[in-house]
Amino acid sequence: MLLLVSICGYILVVIKEKLYLRKNIILLDKKSVTQKHINEADIKEFLLDGNRLKTGDEVKVILKNKNTISGVIIGAIKKENQLLIVTHNDEVRKFSIGIIKQIKVVSRYGKFF
């Protein structure tokens, strides 16, 4: 019974995200993200290491010094060549594209699997 409720909840959340995407709304439940951060990120959809990434996608970033950071993408800053991510600890962090070794997509915003 619990499994069925979990699956139904997941399906409803994804449908809600799809409705928001049709209205060009991406919902980030992080208090540290301000309008300044959103305006600073001038690219909302981009390719990185062959992966198509968009604002709202949950990713795991592996840096060249073997550190890993998990979070949600806010966007990219084109002129500084940086990626803007909000971590699960509500920190907004910028990463230069040059120090990123690998990026793994954990879940895509508005996609089932």
Side-chain angles (χ1 to χ4, degrees):
M1 183 66 176
L2 187 60
L3 178 65
L4 183 63
V5 171
S6 297
I7 292 172
C8 289
Y10 178 72
I11 290 171
L12 290 174
V13 167
V14 171
I15 290 172
K16 178 179 155 186
E17 289 175 354
K18 284 190 176 287
L19 291 174
Y20 282 154
L21 278 175
R22 285 188 186 162
K23 296 178 184 178
N24 291 327
I25 298 172
I26 295 176
L27 184 65
L28 297 174
D29 293 332
K30 303 291 183 179
K31 295 182 188 259
S32 61
V33 178
T34 62
Q35 188 64 38
K36 179 185 167 212
H37 293 119
I38 294 170
N39 292 339
E40 186 179 18
D42 52 353
I43 302 175
K44 306 296 184 202
E45 186 173 345
F46 52 93
L47 285 171
L48 184 63
D49 289 338
N51 293 327
R52 177 176 226 102
L53 302 171
K54 292 193 298 187
T55 300
D57 290 349
E58 187 174 348
V59 295
K60 183 176 182 181
V61 178
I62 301 170
L63 304 175
K64 287 186 178 178
N65 62 1
K66 304 287 188 209
N67 290 342
T68 60
I69 292 93
S70 297
V72 178
I73 294 178
I74 298 173
I77 305 169
K78 186 175 184 177
K79 66 179 181 176
E80 297 175 7
N81 234 7
Q82 292 182 337
L83 186 64
L84 199 59
I85 295 177
V86 60
T87 63
H88 296 299
N89 297 332
D90 278 344
E91 294 179 69
V92 177
R93 308 227 3 223
K94 294 179 187 179
F95 298 103
S96 176
I97 301 297
I99 66 167
I100 296 175
K101 180 178 179 182
Q102 185 180 11
I103 191 161
K104 296 179 182 179
V105 179
V106 175
S107 69
R108 298 198 180 274
Y109 190 81
K111 301 283 183 181
F112 276 107
F113 296 104

